[in-house]
Amino acid sequence: MSAIENVSRRGFLKGVVSTGAFVLCARLYPEALWAADSLPLDSRVEGAPLHPSIFLGIETDGTVYIVAHRSEMGTGIRTSLPLVVADEMDADWKRVKIEQAIGDERYGNQDTDGSHSIRDFYDVMREVGATARVMLIQAAAQQWGVSPSECTADPVHAVVHRATGRRATYGDLATAAAKLPVPKKEDLQFKPKSGWRYVGKGTPSYDLDAICTGRAEYGMDAHVDGMLYASIEHPPVLGGKVKSYDDKGPLAVHGVRQVIPIDPFQGPPASQPLGGVAVVGDNTWAVFQGRKKLNVVWENGANESYSSDEFKKELRKSSRTAGKVVRNSGDVEAAFSKGGKVIEADYYVPLLAHASMEPPVAVADFKDGRVTAWAPTQDPQAVQETIAKVMGIPKDNVICHVTLLGGAFGRKSMADYVAEAAVLSKKTGRPVKVVWSREDDIKFDYYNAVAAIYMKAALGPDGKPSAWLQRSAFTPIPSTFAPNVEYGSEGELGMGSTDVPFDIANLRVENGPATAHVRIGWLRSVSNIFHGFAVQSFADELAAAAGRDRVEYLLELIGPARILNLAEFGYPNYGGAPDKYPVDTGRLRHVLELAAEKSDWAKRSRSKGKGSGLGVAVHRSFLTYVATVVEVEVSSGGEVRIPRVDTVVDAGLVVNPEMTRAQFEGAAVFGTSIVRSGEITATKGVVDQGNFDDYPVARINEAPYKTNVHIVDSSAPPAGVGEPGVPPFLAAFCNAIFAATGKRVRDLPLSKTSLSA
Amino acid sequence: MIDLKVNGVARSFDGDSNMPLLWYLRDVLALTGTKFGCGEALCGACTVHKNGEAIRSCVAAMRTVGGAEITTIEGISHDGLHPVQKAWIDANVPQCGYCQAGQIMQAVAFLKSKKNPTDDDIDGAMAGNICRCGTYQRIRAAIKAAAGEQS
Ligand code: FES
Ligand code: FES
């Protein structure tokens, strides 16, 4: 529910625009709250540069301010949503200035994850833009004494009277438009697709120049006068506590001022600080050095029992034992007992770390019971909530400014590191910047779940499966937030498990229990990573067993074009309404067929010989349909090159194709890292890896040489693009390795499998 | 006391001579374009030029840069954009952008020694610079475009 209001005369955007400017707000928060809000549109946040729910301001000099309320971590969302506004209002993009919103529930949801920013806000951004255009035209028509229908905003940033050629710029019209009532939504006319200036075209990032000249400001660059720096020694085992430490050593380091213990978290970790000992001082280097001299003695607690090797066996056992049935049709057991060709396979995907280039970092300033924070966060409202909870202050007393994010991939929707800065600011009485080292980042992440997946199928005489069983056991995300959670949530199971799109009469999906001993969180495409990998690898195994062409076989598995009704299995469909975002196997088939065509599959998959091969996979996630063909070359020494990737994407309406392409190029590299070397392990509860030497990510010479991204032209509602490129890449890559070498990769990462001839 | 030049400006430093140049640039001079990514010379985010050559500032102790001319992303071009920056913008290279200052500094130094690099040359020169967002194919294209400009 949203409503747009003209708030030009209420002094909002003060300090950004002058009096006389035209300012529109859109209320995105639940209607029920409107009445409860005594000063509905005033900020509760004193001194905040922006007032929540303002999205648009037009200055009398024609500068257009558009507020970005979602976080920019590289997907281009800070550009793309304002672009929708600018397009619909016929603004000149060069005259648009973007203001980043602070955290406030009146902006509606600001949690920038789950690939849903465009999908959730496309309509309202259009509405804001169209409202502004209609009002500017009205203002001009009034001045000229003509009907608005005789005027147009076609020339960009100005209104023209068609008959007389009279012209007024948006700047000229701002003050007059500011006095007009807002038109009803029903009276708005949206531009036809043919009239779009920016949407669907390639517009580069608003921050491109700043980034390339080093001026862009990330969380790592946030600075407040008088701030101290802090580095924290966290308990090496989750839930551990400090027994003793030495503060003399650190205090002897030049530039170190204080050594401060931080309380361990209570109950499930959620986004609370991990606890430990902080070293505070004048610069990052001093506090890093001081930390080395702390000599903390820890009481590790129960998670000390956790070691990855043992755990893998348990997980495997869980995936091999009858589990909780989450989807069932027909009778798989009866079909299996009939015999025929029965095929089984076990897959495994370890814990994965995010390793965004910018490690967690935040600045916070605690004063008089209020906190102001500057953070590279995916979710500034979660920062407010977390700090409020940890410090025992009202949420409204927390202001969170959002910087650019140096990558995030899901890690930075958790606010633990921002809360640490707030706690330390209170204890020191100064603003504090908490800087995580790379080792802190890798050792204390919210990891993607470790998973074992068991697959079983019986092939009929035609080579098609008559029965299909898939059972995954993985450390569930809810275990981070509540005690004793062992089974996956509907959301996690709805990522490649309950939504397996195959046309098989007897089909059962199960989930086995698993207990987490580290914090589990969201990582780019989440449980689609291991489910997608297992399902699409297994499909390839069945095709191999049946001696069939992979694309044809996959098309048969998917079956005819139809809408799948998965509601009865609790399938959440990424929060998308089933009528607006149905599970459409026709679109799934289409991307696959197109991928075969674009990659010249028929010819190239056959002509490949020893040491080189093509693999394919197709997967729907975040409401987007993706098919990927990967070409690999494997040397006799077992070294793998990826000369070419072809990805076909049907994400419905694509606002920014240029950035969408970049997201899928990036997803192929992200997937390459997962397959080649992505593995976090623990010994006695302590994570073994710490930096890019033992947690390598793909470098330029290891990444795909060329990823071709083909975007399906679609007018279906917009869907996600940040995450869906990852899952199909993983299986397509490993299927290609099989095609090239005959070696099946079931355990990730690849470094565990010898590929030398 | 350690004397050096940073982006053409004479500076002197009297702190801990083991402090890496990276933290001097960022925390003391507030030149924050140079980024921290790993602290162990593993990622290249902190790449700057010392007397024209690319170095990892996170492992270059201040005592090793006495008398040196240091150039950072902020100082790579005095008027307008450096051709490599232009190429980066034209190819729309960055995603999150955090690694890109390091990538650009690495590429600028590399292109001085290699006028017409092959793919292998580029891979060799750029393999120390991680981009977690995966912008490598655009980096390669931008380097080739910049090389074309140059020659
Ligand atoms: S921060 Fe210097 S190489 Fe990574
Ligand atoms: S652009 Fe994000 S790490 Fe390179």
Side-chain angles (χ1 to χ4, degrees), chain B residues 2 5 8 10 16 21 23-24 31 37 46 57 65 68 72 76 78 82 85 89-90 101 106 117 121 130 133 136 146:
Chain B
I2 293 161
K5 267 191 175 176
D16 179 356
L21 174 61
W23 299 113
Y24 172 66
L31 289 171
C46 65
S57 64
V65 296
T72 70
I76 200 68
H78 303 289
H82 187 280
Q85 288 172 310
I89 288 168
D90 289 345
Q106 182 73 20
D121 293 336
I130 292 172
C133 296
Y136 298 123

Side-chain angles (χ1 to χ4, degrees), chain A residues 454-468:
Chain A
Y454 168 71
M455 310 286 303
K456 184 177 181 183
L459 299 190
D462 57 352
K464 243 196 100 179
S466 54
W468 171 286

Side-chain angles (χ1 to χ4, degrees), chain A residues 134-323:
Chain A
V134 167
M135 290 171 77
L136 288 159
I137 290 177
Q138 233 164 35
Q142 237 169 44
Q143 279 178 11
W144 299 328
V146 301
S147 156
S149 63
E150 296 168 25
C151 303
T152 167
D154 256 4
V156 184
H157 232 79
V159 179
V160 159
H161 182 231
R162 280 197 212 86
T164 60
R166 258 181 302 187
R167 190 172 183 279
T169 66
Y170 280 3
D172 300 338
L173 295 168
T175 305
K179 296 186 182 120
L180 294 174
V182 171
K184 283 204 209 69
K185 188 175 173 183
E186 303 81 74
D187 297 339
L188 293 179
Q189 268 180 3
F190 293 101
K191 290 165 58 173
K193 192 172 175 180
S194 57
W196 292 350
R197 295 174 191 285
Y198 314 118
V199 171
K201 318 257 163 31
T203 305
S205 163
Y206 178 75
D207 300 298
L208 184 58
D209 283 27
I211 288 170
C212 292
T213 52
R215 287 180 290 112
E217 281 190 26
Y218 298 85
M220 191 61 81
D221 310 328
H223 179 93
V224 179
D225 284 341
M227 78 182 185
L228 296 171
Y229 295 78
S231 176
I232 300 165
E233 189 79 9
H234 296 116
V237 176
L238 182 68
K241 294 183 174 59
V242 177
K243 263 211 272 204
S244 69
Y245 62 91
D246 167 27
D247 61 2
K248 291 192 193 62
L251 288 170
V253 172
H254 182 77
V256 170
R257 288 169 179 251
Q258 270 177 281
V259 174
I260 301 173
I262 299 180
D263 293 339
F265 60 83
Q266 302 295 317
S271 59
Q272 303 174 73
L274 284 166
V277 185
V279 176
V280 182
D282 295 336
N283 61 66
T284 316
W285 171 247
V287 297
F288 279 4
Q289 291 310 102
R291 237 180 94 182
K292 292 186 188 154
K293 304 200 154 61
L294 276 171
N295 293 319
V296 187
V297 179
W298 303 98
E299 188 175 317
N300 287 331
N303 286 321
E304 202 173 16
S305 65
Y306 174 53
S307 285
S308 295
D309 290 346
E310 275 309 303
F311 191 78
K312 182 174 179 180
K313 288 180 204 146
E314 282 173 39
L315 208 56
R316 190 77 96 201
K317 206 166 130 205
S318 178
S319 73
R320 279 275 187 168
T321 312

Side-chain angles (χ1 to χ4, degrees), chain A residues 218 220 284 698-699 705 707, chain B residues 26-27 42 96 119 136-137:
Chain A
Y218 298 85
M220 191 61 81
T284 316
R699 294 170 182 275
Y705 179 77
T707 297
Chain B
R26 291 185 53 83
D27 293 352
L42 297 166
C96 82
D119 284 335
Y136 298 123
Q137 80 184 44

